[in-house]
Amino acid sequence: TVSQGVLAAFQKYGWTRLAIVYDATDEWAADTARVVSENLGAAGIATLGDKCVSRSCATSESKSDHRGPKKSIRFDKADPHWGNTLISTDVADSILDELVALDAKIIYLMIQPSDTKVLFERIYQTKKCYGAGHAYFTGWPSDQMFLNDDGKASTDAAYGAVGLLTVKERQDTSGSVAQALIAAREGSMDETVC
C-alpha cells in the first residue's frame, strides 16, 4: 500500500513526525488519511495537529460515519463560505500557518490535485513550509497539481512543490494467480506495445 511506501521513506530517513492535511468532506481522503495515520502510528510515527482550518468542520465531522483522523489538519469544503470547489488562498494560508505552528517538516496531502495546486502556489508565494527541510507526499498525484485552468503550467505550484516525493506501487506477482495470468498472456504479449 501507499502507506507502506511512506513508512519506508520515514524509516530510511529517520523521520518521526508527520502532518496530514485532508479534505474532511471527501470520504476517500478521510479514509486514506486515517489509514496512513494508523499505519505510521503503529510504527511509532507521531501524527501532528488537531485543527480544522475552515470556519467549521461540523458538516463532515458531526457525521457518525466520519472516518478521518482527528490528529490532522483538515478543512471542510461544505462550509458555506466556500462558494466554489477550490480551496481559497485564505484556507491555504491557514493550513500553512498551522503547519508552521506545528513545526511540520514532513507533510502528507490527501487533497484533490486542484487544491494541491493552490497550496503549492501559496507555499512558494509565502515561503511557508518551503525549501530545504520540507518533504511532501500526495495521495493523489496528477499533472493537475501544476496546471492552470487554461492548461498552462503554474510555475508557482511547480516551485512550491520542491520536496515532493512520490511512492511507486509495485505489484506482487509471486502468487499462483498472478503467475497463471502472466503465463496465459505471455504468448500474446507484444513487447513493443507494453
Side-chain angles (χ1 to χ4, degrees):
T1 67
V2 172
S3 63
Q4 290 170 330
V6 173
L7 177 58
F10 266 76
Q11 292 170 333
K12 177 177 176 60
Y13 294 108
W15 297 333
T16 59
R17 303 167 65 226
L18 171 70
I20 298 174
V21 176
Y22 76 96
D23 177 356
T25 58
D26 184 323
E27 289 184 27
W28 173 80
D31 195 43
T32 304
R34 179 188 51 77
V35 169
V36 167
S37 179
E38 288 173 359
N39 288 350
L40 271 64
I45 308 300
T47 301
L48 305 176
D50 182 3
K51 178 92 173 186
C52 174
V53 297
S54 296
R55 292 181 189 172
S56 127
C57 280
T59 304
S60 56
E61 291 182 357
S62 63
K63 290 181 182 177
S64 61
D65 64 344
H66 177 70
R67 297 189 304 245
K70 287 284 207 158
K71 292 294 272 178
S72 63
I73 299 165
R74 55 211 175 275
F75 57 89
D76 188 339
K77 281 190 174 179
D79 191 321
H81 82 281
W82 282 83
N84 65 33
T85 58
L86 292 175
I87 65 170
S88 66
T89 56
D90 288 345
V91 172
D93 288 348
S94 294
I95 291 168
L96 293 175
D97 289 343
E98 187 62 20
L99 291 169
V100 168
L102 294 167
D103 194 30
K105 303 295 184 188
I106 315 303
I107 302 157
Y108 193 92
L109 304 172
M110 284 305 310
I111 58 180
Q112 293 186 18
S114 55
D115 294 328
T116 303
K117 176 187 156 290
V118 173
L119 190 62
F120 281 156
E121 287 173 338
R122 295 305 295 156
I123 287 169
Y124 180 66
Q125 292 161 358
T126 66
K127 304 298 188 260
K128 293 176 183 174
C129 301
Y130 175 72
H134 292 91
Y136 299 92
F137 291 95
T138 178
W140 197 336
S142 168
D143 291 345
Q144 298 303 313
M145 296 185 304
F146 306 107
L147 298 177
N148 293 319
D149 291 339
D150 63 5
K152 293 182 180 173
S154 166
T155 54
D156 283 358
Y159 285 128
V162 169
L164 177 63
L165 304 172
T166 59
V167 177
K168 181 179 178 182
E169 292 189 68
R170 183 179 61 82
Q171 299 299 320
D172 180 2
T173 59
S174 63
S176 60
V177 173
Q179 288 299 310
L181 178 61
I182 290 168
R185 298 284 299 153
E186 199 166 40
S188 62
M189 288 179 139
D190 181 351
E191 292 187 18
T192 62
V193 176
C194 297

